Amino acid sequence: MVVASINTLLYFVLSYECFRRLQGSNYRPQRGYFKLLLTPYFAVLLAIQGAVLAVYFCNFPEWITCILYAVPAVVFAVIPHKSPLKFTKRILRFAVVQLALSFVLCYFNIVTFCVAALPIISLVPLVICLPIDKIIANYYIKKAVKKIKQSNVTVVAVTGSYGKTTVKDMLTALLDDSISPMGSCNTPLGIASFINKTDLYYVKYLVLEFGARRKGDIAELCKLFSPSYGIVTGVCPQHLSTFKTFDNVISAKSELVKGLPENGVCVLNFRDETAVTFKDVGSCKKVLSNELAQVSLDGIDVNGSRINVKYGKTEKQIALPQITAHTADTFAMCLTMCLILKQNFTKTLALTANVKQTPHRMQISKAANCYIIDDGYNASLAGVKSISQTLDNFTQFKTVITQGLVECGNKRKEYNVQCGQILGQSCNVAIVLGSNKKYLAQGLNDSGSKVIFAKNLKQAVELAQPYLNGDNSILLFQNDLPDF
């Protein structure tokens, strides 16, 4: 009984990684959860399975199984992750079910034969709790929808394959009396959670980011949160592991334009050819981001961007902390929306003082031995091209740490070779890691950039040290840095 109780706790702790990955797939196993079966974690489970069976059939003392479970359970529980498990109420419900299930398996010694099945067993709490979770989710979403209607707040939605969070953050800073969630909060439940925790009665504008991994996701968000205005930042092949084709991506992003009311307005990024085609979609009014004002980039340095703005007969220059080549286009979309919402041009320019860098989106900072550019959430080729254009403005020696692009579906090799080619045009040294490193290296070699292979991010940073020389060097983290 004592051994069974100890093994129950250890087997339960081993479930931590399964729950973390399940949470990372938005509790939809079909969205990447089963890639867990291709990781070292599952290899360890297989090794434990073999060892436990040996203990059972060779009549070794049963307490040995406690050791077999304890070491990997502790190791995988304490390994730091970019996206650690968040102990939400939902996860706690899963934990209660999993703990009860673990006790049954250990008490009757069934666990001996199903250690390697833990990734599948960990889905049982998801299935058991699904009816309760749906009821709770629907309750919170309906509560948020009702709150929006009662508050009379005007919803502005931002979508696109890239730049959503940056545009959302900049628009919120520029638009007086507005509010938005922090980070990439772009799912129905995530948005609902923010709304339910926020006082909207003294807010005029609610700026929301609408994300999608499948056709219909943005249409659902439009139906729930009823935006009156929208911005499409641009469209490119992204999340192809779930969208499958670029045509599906285009169709999904156009759902915002179709979802706006007839008296609504959608701003389209005039630089993006696909976004411009949305002029003929839906019944709302469409405005290109260069129609009301002309915005151009005057220069970029480590302190940010200098932007020229022309509105009617008025010409001004402003400074923004962002360093990307797309900063002018981002500002153009935000300025256009502010003008559409009747905000004074001069007031909007004055509010540029509120604009901050968006974390992990070409975020520059000064370290002791170099400038660091953190682009850890870059997930598209369009973003990589923007990086290259941006780095062309800097004279410093440039080192990049990258593991390329994920969720590329059957385009994985093609897109990561291109990613390497693009980075090689602007970086002197590239340190590659992860499952895409051979494809990145192929593209980098085509560009003549020096390529160094690393086993993990820690080693990559160590390998970069010889190339860092104070103000004369830049270290770029260009990683769609997933944990899985």
Side-chain angles (χ1 to χ4, degrees), residues 139-216:
Y139 167 76
Y140 283 118
I141 290 173
K142 288 180 179 179
K143 182 180 178 182
V145 170
K146 182 179 179 181
K147 188 173 182 179
I148 286 180
K149 291 179 179 178
Q150 292 178 338
S151 67
N152 292 319
V153 69
T154 298
V155 178
V156 182
V158 180
T159 195
S161 299
Y162 54 87
K164 295 187 295 295
T165 305
T166 303
V167 170
K168 179 207 69 179
D169 289 350
M170 185 180 290
L171 179 60
T172 305
L174 294 175
L175 188 58
D176 197 23
D177 201 19
S178 65
I179 193 170
S180 66
M182 294 182 63
S184 297
C185 177
N186 56 27
T187 63
L189 196 55
I191 293 172
S193 177
F194 170 77
I195 292 171
N196 289 328
K197 296 176 183 177
T198 306
D199 185 357
L200 300 178
Y201 290 96
Y202 300 100
V203 176
K204 189 173 181 181
Y205 301 106
L206 173 62
V207 184
L208 299 177
E209 176 181 331
F210 282 7
R213 289 180 181 267
R214 280 183 171 78
K215 289 171 64 175

Side-chain angles (χ1 to χ4, degrees), residues 10-174:
L10 294 174
Y11 191 73
F12 171 73
V13 174
L14 269 175
S15 307
Y16 176 96
E17 180 66 6
C18 297
F19 286 162
R20 188 181 71 83
R21 288 174 175 268
L22 187 60
Q23 190 176 69
S25 64
N26 199 26
Y27 303 103
R28 299 183 182 183
Q30 68 273 24
R31 295 189 175 184
Y33 172 78
F34 292 106
K35 291 181 180 178
L36 179 68
L37 302 179
L38 303 175
T39 64
Y41 170 77
F42 185 63
V44 170
L45 290 183
L46 290 174
I48 297 173
Q49 179 72 82
V52 170
L53 287 173
V55 170
Y56 179 79
F57 288 110
C58 296
N59 294 317
F60 290 129
E62 194 177 356
W63 57 265
I64 295 178
T65 59
C66 296
I67 299 175
L68 295 175
Y69 292 139
V71 175
V74 172
V75 169
F76 282 106
V78 301
I79 289 176
H81 298 285
K82 175 188 169 187
S83 301
L85 178 67
K86 298 176 183 177
F87 290 93
T88 62
K89 292 180 180 178
R90 189 175 192 178
I91 286 294
L92 293 177
R93 288 194 295 273
F94 286 6
V96 171
V97 175
Q98 185 78 342
L99 192 59
L101 184 60
S102 299
F103 178 75
V104 172
L105 293 173
C106 292
Y107 182 79
F108 292 101
N109 208 28
I110 302 171
V111 69
T112 299
F113 305 96
C114 61
V115 176
L118 183 57
I120 306 301
I121 293 171
S122 296
L123 296 178
V124 174
L126 173 68
V127 176
I128 292 176
C129 295
L130 189 59
I132 299 174
D133 292 332
K134 281 192 173 182
I135 291 172
I136 294 173
N138 288 336
Y139 167 76
Y140 283 118
I141 290 173
K142 288 180 179 179
K143 182 180 178 182
V145 170
K146 182 179 179 181
K147 188 173 182 179
I148 286 180
K149 291 179 179 178
Q150 292 178 338
S151 67
N152 292 319
V153 69
T154 298
V155 178
V156 182
V158 180
T159 195
S161 299
Y162 54 87
K164 295 187 295 295
T165 305
T166 303
V167 170
K168 179 207 69 179
D169 289 350
M170 185 180 290
L171 179 60
T172 305
L174 294 175

Side-chain angles (χ1 to χ4, degrees), residues 189-379:
L189 196 55
I191 293 172
S193 177
F194 170 77
I195 292 171
N196 289 328
K197 296 176 183 177
T198 306
D199 185 357
L200 300 178
Y201 290 96
Y202 300 100
V203 176
K204 189 173 181 181
Y205 301 106
L206 173 62
V207 184
L208 299 177
E209 176 181 331
F210 282 7
R213 289 180 181 267
R214 280 183 171 78
K215 289 171 64 175
D217 285 356
I218 294 175
E220 179 187 7
L221 289 165
C222 288
K223 184 177 180 180
L224 291 172
F225 303 111
S226 305
S228 300
Y229 300 88
I231 297 176
V232 178
T233 62
V235 187
C236 68
Q238 187 193 22
H239 298 314
L240 292 183
S241 60
T242 53
F243 277 117
K244 304 304 181 185
T245 68
F246 184 36
D247 285 341
N248 287 337
V249 177
I250 295 172
S251 178
K253 299 306 178 182
S254 69
E255 290 170 5
L256 174 59
V257 188
K258 296 174 183 176
L260 294 176
E262 191 172 345
N263 62 347
V265 184
C266 190
V267 175
L268 307 174
N269 182 4
F270 85 99
R271 295 281 189 191
D272 189 277
E273 294 180 359
T274 306
V276 171
T277 65
F278 291 172
K279 289 188 299 182
D280 302 321
V281 174
S283 59
C284 69
K285 179 181 178 181
K286 273 74 69 175
V287 179
L288 297 182
S289 57
N290 65 341
E291 284 187 31
L292 304 183
Q294 287 70 52
V295 180
S296 60
L297 181 66
D298 186 52
I300 299 174
D301 57 33
V302 293
N303 298 310
S305 302
R306 298 180 301 280
I307 306 292
N308 291 322
V309 186
K310 182 178 181 182
Y311 177 61
K313 296 182 180 180
T314 304
E315 292 189 35
K316 298 283 186 179
Q317 186 175 83
I318 61 170
L320 294 171
Q322 286 79 10
I323 61 167
T324 72
H326 288 321
T327 299
D329 296 334
T330 299
F331 181 76
M333 287 183 275
C334 296
L335 173 61
T336 300
M337 181 55 69
C338 290
L339 295 173
I340 289 171
L341 295 172
K342 309 299 183 184
Q343 180 165 289
N344 181 271
F345 172 71
T346 302
K347 181 177 184 178
T348 302
L349 293 194
L351 289 172
T352 56
N354 297 334
V355 176
K356 302 288 189 293
Q357 293 189 78
T358 298
H360 311 300
R361 278 84 171 177
M362 291 299 286
Q363 180 184 18
I364 190 168
S365 59
K366 182 68 174 71
N369 57 347
C370 66
Y371 285 100
I372 292 177
I373 298 178
D374 175 3
D375 200 34
Y377 275 49
N378 188 347

